[in-house]
Amino acid sequence: MSQTRILVTGGAGFIGSHYVRTLLGPLGPDDVSVTVLDAFTYAANPASLDEVRDSPRFRLVVGDICDPEVVGPLMAEHDEVVHFAAESHVDRSLSSSAEFVRTNVMGTQVLLDAALHHGISTFVHVSTDEVYGSVPTGSSTEEESVDPNSPYAASKAASDLLALVYHRSHDLDVRVTRCSNNYGHHQFPEKIVPLFVTRLLQGRKVPLYGDGMNVRDWLHIDDHIRGIELVRTRGRAGEIYNIGGGTELNNRELTDRLLQACGATWDQVEYVEDRKGHDRRYSVDWHKAHTELGYKPQKDFAEGLAETVAWYRDHREWWDRADGTPDAAAGAPAC
Ligand code: NAD
């Protein structure tokens, strides 16, 4: 059987590794092989790929997406690209944005150039709802312009525009996905869900930004992966597809649920100074993915959160190595 050879960038991170485990798992398609290209920054965890390491359809390349010497030859051996690699944490981008511009913008440009040169048939560029900026009411459709409020979101918006232009200028089959906040297992404990869960499980305090009323839409990683696969296999070239989760919560509500799930109380919550430029609310309209591709989030939030907490409780060895990293002292919601 001929196989579609997929190059997955950032495949050792939270969402990328779940994509790879899903594709090469028992329910995944049997006509794909996967190469992960990952630089193994602080956000990657080699253990996230343990499940697939022995698969004959899996290969791992440790390398930087910004390096054309690495990317070019690899691209020549593949049919499609699913691009997850990024610097992904807003707070880090507020402390220093250089690495965000380098990886998210320049790295994407290196990949797009190589994809064009080597005749890649489909390039899925994974992006975020944060590019739309804050929406007080309603939901952002794909037609809306980008209006980012953090260096992270600006670097993602720049990479989205670049990717779309490779379709317009060069007719490269690029498809952009913009999802809301993902939650689930294997997420580095700096973003709000794994940060709070790992701290609460240790009996420690958790930091809540500002008045805690910032709103996010929560998307389980299983639903996100399903959405990405629909876009890869059925989407159209040059199109943007929003992928929403369907559970909108402010951070106080989310914290309340996390406290309950971890058997903790509000005594363990400390209000801290708000994040600079903190977007009040994100919300994406995912009708286009629904009507064109049949996308619909399926995971019940309460069930997904309970499973996530149970996973962190049972996999202490996975997150022990990451715990206490650049103290997420300020904690932090969002991607
Ligand atoms: P992550 O931080 O967990 O993983 C990023 C991965 O990229 C890591 O494995 C890291 O080692 C790798 N990487 C970073 N720089 C690299 C480079 N120069 N070369 C090669 N690899 C490099 O991120 P994630 O949460 O899995 O996010 C994946 C993608 O999804 C990102 O593009 C992010 O912007 C987007 N996204 C994430 C969320 C979310 O809720 N986590 C929401 C919307 C969009």
Side-chain angles (χ1 to χ4, degrees):
M1 180 191 302
S2 80
Q3 292 194 332
T4 305
R5 302 164 302 171
I6 306 176
L7 179 62
V8 177
T9 72
F14 167 45
I15 307 170
S17 69
H18 195 54
Y19 180 72
V20 173
R21 290 190 303 271
T22 306
L23 242 58
L24 298 181
L27 301 178
D30 52 11
D31 60 348
V32 299
S33 65
V34 169
T35 302
V36 165
L37 171 61
D38 200 295
F40 283 83
T41 69
Y42 76 92
N45 191 328
S48 300
L49 293 170
D50 283 352
E51 265 175 61
V52 295
R53 212 173 289 282
D54 294 333
S55 166
R57 294 186 285 129
F58 173 74
R59 181 180 159 208
L60 174 63
V61 175
V62 179
D64 187 342
I65 59 164
C66 300
D67 184 349
E69 304 294 323
V70 172
V71 169
L74 261 184
M75 206 61 85
E77 300 169 0
H78 291 85
D79 307 302
E80 300 185 356
V81 175
V82 183
H83 174 33
F84 294 95
E87 286 295 331
S88 68
H89 192 41
V90 173
D91 288 313
R92 289 177 188 259
S93 80
L94 291 165
S95 315
S96 168
S97 59
E99 202 53 36
F100 287 73
V101 173
R102 195 186 86 87
T103 290
N104 300 0
V105 186
M106 294 167 66
T108 300
Q109 181 267 323
V110 169
L111 290 167
L112 289 165
D113 255 2
L116 184 63
H117 185 72
H118 292 286
I120 286 294
S121 62
T122 299
F123 188 114
V124 179
H125 174 71
V126 178
S127 189
T128 168
D129 58 1
E130 302 200 24
V131 300
Y132 294 117
S134 199
V135 285
T137 55
S139 301
S140 310
T141 67
E142 290 85 351
E143 276 73 46
E144 266 146 66
S145 359
V146 293
D147 189 15
N149 286 311
S150 72
Y152 162 69
S155 68
K156 291 298 289 186
S159 66
D160 288 17
L161 296 178
L162 201 55
L164 290 165
V165 156
Y166 268 70
H167 172 69
R168 288 182 199 153
S169 307
H170 301 295
D171 209 23
L172 182 66
D173 180 339
V174 174
R175 307 164 189 194
V176 173
T177 62
R178 290 178 178 159
C179 65
S180 36
N181 269 35
N182 287 225
Y183 73 99
H185 46 86
H186 290 92
Q187 185 173 28
F188 183 83
E190 65 183 349
K191 314 233 167 93
I192 190 167
V193 170
L195 176 73
F196 279 26
V197 170
T198 54
R199 286 195 174 194
L200 292 172
L201 291 177
Q202 296 170 88
R204 294 166 65 192
K205 293 206 176 230
V206 294
L208 187 58
Y209 270 150
D211 63 4
M213 296 304 283
N214 301 68
V215 173
R216 299 293 183 263
D217 168 49
W218 290 95
L219 168 68
H220 191 266
I221 39 168
D222 284 349
D223 285 323
H224 188 194
I225 297 312
R226 201 172 298 114
I228 290 172
E229 268 303 88
L230 286 168
V231 171
R232 181 182 74 82
T233 55
R234 296 192 211 161
R236 288 182 294 135
E239 295 293 322
I240 301 168
Y241 294 94
N242 290 340
I243 303 178
T247 303
E248 204 171 291
L249 296 173
N250 66 44
N251 285 334
R252 280 185 61 87
E253 293 168 327
L254 176 68
T255 301
D256 206 43
R257 295 193 190 204
L258 291 170
L259 291 171
Q260 282 179 39
C262 296
T265 65
W266 276 92
D267 297 342
Q268 277 175 256
V269 180
E270 274 174 332
Y271 282 90
V272 297
E273 191 181 334
D274 207 356
R275 167 192 279 169
K276 288 182 193 168
H278 199 176
D279 283 322
R280 198 65 172 167
R281 177 175 174 269
Y282 300 129
S283 174
V284 287
D285 180 321
W286 45 271
H287 280 97
K288 178 175 172 183
H290 179 58
T291 49
E292 260 189 45
L293 311 174
Y295 170 75
K296 194 169 185 220
Q298 293 173 10
K299 192 77 172 182
D300 172 72
F301 183 75
E303 187 191 333
L305 198 65
E307 286 172 8
T308 302
V309 171
W311 187 87
Y312 279 96
R313 188 176 276 127
D314 295 345
H315 292 83
R316 175 91 191 225
E317 75 293 347
W318 185 92
W319 51 270
D320 249 354
R321 70 177 271 279
D323 184 45
T325 41
D327 195 52
C335 158

